[in-house]
Amino acid sequence: MNLMSWGMYPRIESNVFKFDGEESLKHVINEHSELIPYGNGRSYGDSALSRNIVDLRPKNHFIDFDEDNGLLHVQAGVMLAEILEAFVLRGWFLKVTPGTKLITVGGAIASDIHGKNHHVAGCFCECVEDFKIMLADGTIASCSKKTAPELWKATCGGMGLTGVILAARIYLKKINSHYINQTTIKTRNLKETFAAFEEYRDKPYSVAWIDCLARGDDIGKCLLMVGDFRDDGQLDYRLKPQKTIPFNFPSFALNNWSVRAFNKLYYGRVKERVTRQKVDIDTFFYPLDAIGHWNRIYGKPGFTQYQFILPKETSYKGLEEILGAIADSGKGSFLAVLKLYGEANGNWLSFPMEGYSLALDFKIEKGLFELLDSLDKIVIKHLGRIYLTKDVRVSRETFEKGYPEIETFRKYRKDQNMDTKFQSLQSKRVGI
Amino acid sequence: MSYVLIVGAKSDIAKAIAREYAGHGYDLYLAARNSKELEEFAQDITVRTRRVVKIKELDILDYDSHQVFYDKLEEKPLGVISVVGYLGDQKKAQSDFDEVQKIIATNSTGIISLFNIIANDFEQRRSGFMVGISSVAGDRGRKNNYIYGSAKASLTAYLSGLRNRLYAAQVHVLTVNPGFVATKMTEGMDLPAKMTAQPETVAKDIYQAQQNGTNVLYTKWIWRWVMLIIRNIPEFQFKKMSI
């Protein structure tokens, strides 16, 4: 079957395995190698692509919910959107959610995803009580941070390379409204942007949209959006009808000029320095989910997201340098998202560390990978790292420099015979 | 709210329909053979929606058991949806009459037997709705699946007559003609993506059509027009074609 992830690049032929019960999955694992679990295909690059795919999306049963402490037990193929659909009405929300709700719980663990509240709530695995995983020899392990610390640290953020996550128990958080009080702060340069992040640090949710085509004194100007749930008792959450991009745009549709125009309009629509809005969950957390197949605006060649993080001490200098390099290159990025992070957890391949990360979308075109290679050098110089969940091209060398526990992870995989059994195009490229 | 009875509840389309109706506040009876296999799924719906879901054992081919099955339901349902279907093996059926009987009994006679019983009750109570999943294959016989097609044609005609009869009793009957649907039944077939529906979409369409009182639903909608064309190809031409 022809398979791709969200970035639509690369597209490969894969054998897709579905399974009914645990026995049939065990059979697949025993008989094949180069396997990788595939959820809803929303990682951007090649982390869920391989010669052999285990399709987890059909495993979407809710198993149990404890109203007293908000502990939800689900199979790994359940999507975050399904959890919201069932539980927001009852006053529960995800403790940690990324910018799309169209990912599976298994994928959220494997990427140890984070959201707008990382600086207060950490990664997704912080809300996971335990999970069940089928290992390379076909046995099933129950894993919590306490009972199996090594498997935990390897699996949370381990990109599906330790086995097939079957089910998990996760804590939800109580909310008393599906509306959020949002404050938008307009800044004029990177210095103001950093100051604004610090000023609003106590807000649980924050994210900034950066105009990365701005030059000179304007570099780093942004709209910072911060917010928290209201307390008005309104919980009548309903799914909105979705608009869909019906076909791939011609790849010239996004160019320096159209992105510049978009950025100007987006930034220009906010007039005051500080404004306040009341917005709902979908508008605040998942603006892009409202447009189905938005990846098609980049055209058939596809796109990638370049997301890196820099430690706090080097963030300012590093971002200034990188934003300058992007502006000089003239390659447009619709979405440039800047985010403040709290402390790192101990998981071996988790992306977050205390500092700032920037995520930029680029369409795949000639010269792009050269530009990204040059950005890599700046990231490494400033002691940063690249996010595997978004990546499709990073070199082994750059990747290794960003993740100090890489050898621990490699050794663990080898010792557990996982290294040949579970592989993705990405794991082969970066040698994990 | 009260119960909707879903017959043939183990299929992918039935499961999507069950989630759709529970999501709109209905309690469910899920009826199927070896119904114990539905326990995990019933729990899934209960956790998602807090609706009551009861599993009922039913063999659609055991006609004599249908009356008892219906009488034993604790509370009579508001409506019934049959998702029973068996594609069978056309090649095999051409020379093996057991296969023919299985295809016809599952897709037609079995459902008619059960629906007769329920129709009599609904007619007397002057309320209820009945939904039958037939197929576009019932619109015209083709060499690739005309045994299945003829069984579905029989079901389609039955539902049409039933709708006509029960109109006076304000009982609504909906005929559903799905085209290609991505399910276990069609797994491995090479289906055109643009004409293939996901079970969730089919379930949403059915819910809307039933609530709106639609008589005949094609899902995806494009199949209404595809079948209009196919039905109107002159027989002298049609008999030479491979579609």
Side-chain angles (χ1 to χ4, degrees), chain A residues 54-81:
Chain A
V54 183
D55 183 6
L56 262 296
R57 182 64 193 110
K59 297 289 150 195
N60 65 351
H61 282 171
F62 285 52
I63 301 166
D64 195 21
F65 182 63
D66 186 339
E67 297 272 355
D68 293 332
N69 56 12
L71 188 62
L72 174 67
H73 192 187
V74 291
Q75 287 185 324
V78 164
M79 283 205 289
L80 303 188

Side-chain angles (χ1 to χ4, degrees), chain A residues 18 20 60-65 67 72 75 78 82 86-87 90 246, chain B residues 15 19 40-41 43-50 184 187 194 200 204:
Chain A
K18 295 179 194 290
D20 279 327
N60 65 351
H61 282 171
F62 285 52
I63 301 166
D64 195 21
F65 182 63
E67 297 272 355
L72 174 67
Q75 287 185 324
V78 164
E82 295 177 271
F87 285 97
R90 292 148 73 173
Chain B
K15 286 181 174 174
R19 280 183 179 159
E40 234 185 67
F41 177 67
Q43 173 72 1
D44 165 74
I45 292 187
T46 306
V47 176
R48 283 177 194 245
T49 64
R50 290 188 289 188
K184 279 197 204 85
E187 209 173 350
K194 289 224 185 308
E200 293 75 27
K204 280 194 168 60

Side-chain angles (χ1 to χ4, degrees), chain B residues 67-84:
Chain B
Q67 187 70 54
V68 180
F69 162 82
Y70 190 69
D71 290 344
K72 271 169 79 177
L73 295 179
E74 299 85 342
E75 189 183 315
K76 294 296 167 258
L78 287 177
V80 56
I81 303 171
S82 163
V83 199
V84 173

Side-chain angles (χ1 to χ4, degrees), chain B residues 7-213:
Chain B
V7 185
K10 278 202 257 174
S11 77
D12 293 337
I13 295 178
K15 286 181 174 174
I17 292 172
R19 280 183 179 159
E20 183 71 19
Y21 273 80
H24 284 96
Y26 292 90
D27 296 324
L28 300 173
Y29 293 124
L30 301 181
R33 208 170 38 160
N34 302 327
S35 57
K36 251 185 107 55
E37 291 168 23
L38 280 167
E39 277 171 8
E40 234 185 67
F41 177 67
Q43 173 72 1
D44 165 74
I45 292 187
T46 306
V47 176
R48 283 177 194 245
T49 64
R50 290 188 289 188
R51 300 323 311 172
V52 180
V53 183
K54 292 185 179 172
I55 297 171
K56 300 286 169 187
E57 184 68 23
L58 171 70
D59 183 352
I60 201 73
L61 301 183
D62 183 3
Y63 311 135
D64 293 341
S65 71
H66 293 172
Q67 187 70 54
V68 180
F69 162 82
Y70 190 69
D71 290 344
K72 271 169 79 177
L73 295 179
E74 299 85 342
E75 189 183 315
K76 294 296 167 258
L78 287 177
V80 56
I81 303 171
S82 163
V83 199
V84 173
Y86 173 61
L87 186 57
D89 182 338
Q90 169 70 27
K91 277 264 145 49
K92 189 176 168 198
Q94 283 166 209
S95 52
D96 177 353
F97 198 66
D98 286 345
E99 181 72 358
V100 174
Q101 283 185 312
K102 192 173 167 197
I103 292 171
I104 293 185
T106 313
N107 292 302
S108 173
T109 335
I111 300 165
I112 292 173
S113 159
L114 181 68
F115 268 32
N116 271 353
I117 293 163
I118 300 175
N120 293 343
D121 179 48
F122 283 6
E123 186 176 41
Q124 202 179 4
R125 296 197 333 223
R126 300 184 66 77
S127 83
F129 64 84
M130 305 184 75
V131 179
I133 313 287
S134 190
S135 169
V136 294
D139 279 11
R140 194 162 192 180
R142 296 180 301 118
K143 65 181 169 189
N144 290 336
N145 67 354
Y146 63 87
I147 311 272
Y148 174 75
S150 59
K152 287 295 194 184
S154 146
L155 181 63
T156 300
Y158 171 81
L159 292 169
S160 162
L162 196 62
R163 177 161 45 245
N164 191 195
R165 165 188 157 199
L166 295 179
Y167 175 76
Q170 289 157 26
V171 174
H172 178 244
V173 178
L174 166 65
T175 309
V176 183
N177 292 325
F180 300 137
V181 187
T183 64
K184 279 197 204 85
M185 188 169 100
T186 58
E187 209 173 350
M189 293 185 191
D190 191 18
L191 303 177
K194 289 224 185 308
M195 300 190 56
T196 306
Q198 293 303 313
E200 293 75 27
T201 318
V202 170
K204 280 194 168 60
D205 285 353
I206 290 172
Y207 178 78
Q208 274 314 324
Q210 181 266 313
Q211 296 286 316
N212 296 343

Side-chain angles (χ1 to χ4, degrees), chain A residues 216-268:
Chain A
D217 292 345
D218 292 344
I219 261 185
K221 72 177 185 181
C222 85
L223 295 178
L224 170 65
M225 283 153 281
V226 301
D228 195 5
F229 279 98
R230 289 166 64 94
D231 192 22
D232 56 18
Q234 294 187 56
L235 290 163
D236 49 336
Y237 180 71
R238 284 273 175 271
L239 294 182
K240 291 178 204 161
Q242 211 193 31
K243 295 188 182 75
T244 288
I245 308 277
F247 49 81
N248 289 319
F249 281 15
S251 58
F252 58 79
L254 276 194
N255 55 48
N256 198 349
W257 298 107
S258 60
V259 172
R260 200 176 290 274
F262 170 83
N263 286 359
K264 204 163 182 118
L265 282 171
Y266 192 84
Y267 188 80

